[in-house]
Amino acid sequence: MEARKTKAYSESDYSRIVQSSSFQTLLSEKKKFIIPITIFFFCFYFALPILTSYSTILNHKFIGSITWAWVFAFLQFVMTWGLCMLYSKKAARFDELANKVVQEGGNN
């Protein structure tokens, strides 16, 4: 394993880093991704218990004796795996931006 050098940062260093354009870009990119995905996740996740408790729309047959409620429940697993894969791919971009922040913070 490679030993990493670490630099001790002062409070003023952190203030400068937080105000840097690269750090602001990182926060902006993360917000643009995380907030809509989180809203979508919660809406999709809570739709099943709400629809099954307060309506009969998911009680209709899909194929044979399988109802739409079962299909929707299965799709929640698909949605979770899909969002995990999407975030894993997007995290590479966040890592690049975070490395840029660290490099700029160490150069000043």
Side-chain angles (χ1 to χ4, degrees):
M1 272 194 222
E2 180 182 315
R4 295 179 106 181
K5 286 185 180 181
T6 58
K7 177 184 174 186
Y9 290 104
S10 68
E11 189 173 322
S12 63
D13 290 334
Y14 284 115
S15 296
R16 185 176 27 80
I17 290 169
V18 167
Q19 294 172 1
S20 71
S21 65
S22 58
F23 185 78
Q24 295 301 318
T25 301
L26 172 62
L27 289 182
S28 174
E29 291 282 326
K30 286 182 83 171
K31 281 182 188 176
K32 282 192 275 183
F33 176 75
I34 291 172
I35 291 173
I37 292 299
T38 302
I39 291 169
F40 169 76
F41 171 81
F42 280 119
C43 290
F44 196 86
Y45 180 80
F46 286 112
L48 180 62
I50 290 169
L51 288 173
T52 55
S53 297
Y54 301 107
S55 77
T56 59
I57 193 143
L58 296 178
N59 292 346
H60 301 292
K61 304 281 186 205
F62 173 67
I63 295 175
S65 61
I66 299 173
T67 63
W68 281 103
W70 285 103
V71 174
F72 197 101
F74 175 74
L75 287 175
Q76 288 191 342
F77 287 98
V78 174
M79 181 252 331
T80 302
W81 281 96
L83 292 180
C84 287
M85 288 187 291
L86 182 64
Y87 181 80
S88 294
K89 290 181 190 227
K90 196 72 169 169
R93 171 73 176 142
F94 298 150
D95 289 344
E96 289 172 11
L97 292 171
N99 286 334
K100 184 177 177 185
V101 170
V102 170
Q103 288 172 353
E104 288 178 6
N107 291 334
N108 294 324

